[in-house]
Amino acid sequence: MKTVDPARHGFDAERLDRIDRFIADRYVAPGRFRGTQLLVSRDGAPVHFSTRGVMGEDGRPMADDALFRIASMTKPVTSVAFMQLVEEGRVALDDPVATVIPEWKDLAVRAGGGGGAPFVTRPPARPMLMVDLLRHTSGLTYSFQYRGNVDAAYRATKLEDWYGPHDLDAVVRLLADIPLEFSPGDEWNYSVSTDILGLVIQRLTDTPLDAVFRDRILGPLGMDDTGFVVPDAKIDRLTDCYAMAPGKGMLLYDAAESSAWRRPPTQLSGGGGLVSSAADYHRFCRMLLAKGTLDGARILAPKTVELMTINHLPGGRDIASMSKSLFSEATNAGAGFGLGFAVTTDLAAVMLPGSVGDFYWGGMFSTAFFVDPVERIIMIFMAQLSPSNTWPIRRQIKTMLYAALTETRRG
């Protein structure tokens, strides 16, 4: 990737290089990550791009155009697609989810039971709204949370198996018989909410989610390397993916040559199914930084992007005060949640440099991004190791990146 002189955009080149040395010495050389990529831009211009390590088991050096499983970095793409439908008047944030998913008109909240006994339930205090899906206040959960009897019921149904027997319509039928963990709006819990949002999009458009993405977002933005399936012609660009196994260390999770991402999934996961490249995701982030447009393609209106990137948690609370659940970020004190990503609300509570209003998220395989609309900075980090909280690299990179900034746009 071609980069510009960092000094012209207010960065110290040596300090940016220091991040590379840190990643190489702390993570790649000891084998904590097999390979990494880091992309930093300001005003849309890449000021730093680096690769470290290898693609995977074959030992090939990390390629500039490598493809990565971006997992939950899919969620912002799904959220943008939904907000396009809001702009068109097809749906509203305060619409009950049951208006599009009538299978859920009688959803209940767990009051007891489960784990081999029948669930005891109660009615929710209010219906689940579309905004609850976008900000993860729906009462849904993830099977990997391992918090209680509701996520155990998710695991028993295998409803999150993208290549299993359940498409999205089948998933909502299964979930209709499993109670919510809490009444919508009462708590924040990382969950399958964005996958359900993908089904809402499919039903409103009468179009498969992959086609919606292609026609409305990926195609117009020129994100030609992003999708739910890696074609055979690009498989040599897909990195191997690893997972930490208790007592066994880092094991190969998904080899590129035999990757599950080589075949179409039964369940198009708007919550985590995409593969992408650093260059492609940078184009998506540039669109958000430019308030919905890129290279003449208008994806969203500026006011829609503004609405998406403010805190929508009830009472202006942060994630840490609303959640007892497992989530991928190292800490979320001082971070609210907008319509598809976390939003920094209190720098002192976050204990990281940055800007109030920067927004971010990451994926379970250790990919991450943030956009700082005040300083007009974008950062994209790519790696392939699950779980993403194995190492604190996201916070370390953000700290060192702002330490390399010599000119601020604030005040």
Side-chain angles (χ1 to χ4, degrees):
M1 176 178 289
K2 185 177 180 180
T3 60
V4 300
D5 180 7
R8 289 174 47 202
H9 292 270
F11 276 102
D12 183 311
E14 194 284 326
R15 287 189 166 214
L16 288 173
D17 290 340
R18 185 167 67 185
I19 306 174
D20 294 341
R21 295 193 298 272
F22 176 84
I23 293 172
D25 294 344
R26 182 73 64 90
Y27 289 106
V28 177
R32 291 173 171 172
F33 289 123
R34 297 302 304 275
T36 65
Q37 279 189 357
L38 176 65
L39 171 59
V40 180
S41 72
R42 197 174 199 191
D43 296 316
V47 298
H48 187 82
F49 179 70
S50 63
T51 64
R52 289 289 181 271
V54 297
M55 298 282 287
E57 295 299 286
D58 62 10
R60 286 181 298 136
M62 179 62 68
D64 286 358
D65 63 353
L67 300 177
F68 300 85
R69 303 152 193 82
I70 62 171
S72 287
M73 282 168 58
T74 306
K75 288 179 170 68
V77 180
T78 306
S79 302
V80 164
F82 178 82
M83 294 305 294
Q84 289 177 323
L85 303 182
V86 172
E87 289 188 335
E88 294 167 13
R90 300 198 196 191
V91 67
L93 291 174
D94 57 355
D95 282 348
V97 173
T99 60
V100 179
I101 304 178
E103 298 95 322
W104 283 10
K105 62 183 176 61
D106 296 319
L107 283 182
V109 178
R110 179 183 178 271
F119 280 113
V120 178
T121 62
R122 58 179 173 83
R126 65 159 174 81
M128 184 193 301
L129 307 179
M130 296 297 178
V131 69
D132 291 312
L133 296 177
L134 286 149
R135 66 187 184 185
H136 295 281
T137 56
S138 63
L140 298 168
T141 190
Y142 265 131
S143 62
F144 60 73
Q145 291 280 1
Y146 286 91
R147 286 177 10 140
N149 291 337
V150 175
D151 58 62
Y154 280 38
R155 289 192 296 278
T157 62
K158 297 182 169 45
L159 58 86
E160 294 166 49
D161 183 355
W162 302 340
Y163 299 91
H166 308 305
D167 63 10
L168 289 171
D169 290 294
V171 166
V172 297
R173 290 193 294 270
L174 290 167
L175 286 172
D177 295 326
I178 301 173
L180 301 174
E181 283 207 341
F182 51 84
S183 191
D186 284 358
E187 299 180 31
W188 186 93
N189 185 46
Y190 204 40
S191 71
V192 298
S193 290
T194 316
D195 291 276
I196 303 307
L197 196 69
L199 176 61
V200 171
I201 293 166
Q202 286 193 161
R203 290 188 175 183
L204 288 172
T205 61
D206 195 26
T207 306
L209 190 62
D210 54 353
V212 173
F213 282 1
R214 182 191 65 235
D215 296 343
R216 288 174 165 267
I217 299 172
L218 306 180
L221 291 179
M223 295 172 64
D224 299 329
D225 288 330
T226 303
F228 289 102
V229 178
V230 180
D232 289 345
K234 296 182 180 181
I235 201 63
D236 63 330
R237 294 168 53 193
L238 181 64
T239 50
D240 288 343
C241 189
Y242 298 84
M244 295 298 291
K248 297 180 180 179
M250 190 168 73
L251 302 177
L252 183 63
Y253 170 78
D254 185 69
E257 186 61 31
S258 57
S259 177
W261 278 263
R262 297 193 71 168
R263 64 186 191 274
T266 309
Q267 186 183 137
L268 292 168
S269 172
L274 289 178
V275 167
S276 190
S277 65
D280 263 21
Y281 210 83
H282 184 239
R283 293 188 65 79
F284 180 74
C285 291
R286 284 176 60 199
M287 177 273 294
L288 293 171
L289 181 63
K291 298 189 182 300
T293 189
L294 182 68
D295 296 340
R298 169 64 66 184
I299 306 300
L300 290 172
K303 282 295 183 180
T304 303
V305 176
E306 181 181 318
L307 179 65
M308 294 180 72
T309 54
I310 60 175
N311 183 20
H312 284 258
L313 294 185
R317 296 170 66 188
D318 65 4
I319 295 172
S321 67
M322 285 196 71
S323 176
K324 305 180 187 69
S325 69
L326 172 71
F327 42 87
S328 59
E329 303 303 317
T331 177
N332 275 310
F337 211 85
L339 304 179
F341 13 63
V343 182
T344 298
T345 58
D346 185 337
L347 291 173
V350 172
M351 293 190 286
L352 285 175
S355 299
V356 170
D358 67 34
F359 53 95
Y360 64 90
W361 204 239
M364 69 178 292
F365 300 122
S366 299
T367 60
F369 81 97
F370 75 78
V371 177
D372 182 338
V374 177
E375 300 293 351
R376 299 188 58 76
I377 293 170
I378 295 169
M379 186 285 300
I380 297 168
F381 176 73
M382 296 292 201
Q384 297 282 257
L385 175 67
S386 174
S388 59
N389 59 3
T390 302
W391 311 115
I393 191 166
R394 297 173 179 180
R395 294 176 66 81
Q396 292 165 337
I397 288 175
K398 190 171 187 182
T399 299
M400 298 181 77
L401 187 157
Y402 281 98
L405 187 65
T406 59
E407 297 175 9
T408 181
R409 305 271 171 85
R410 185 177 296 167

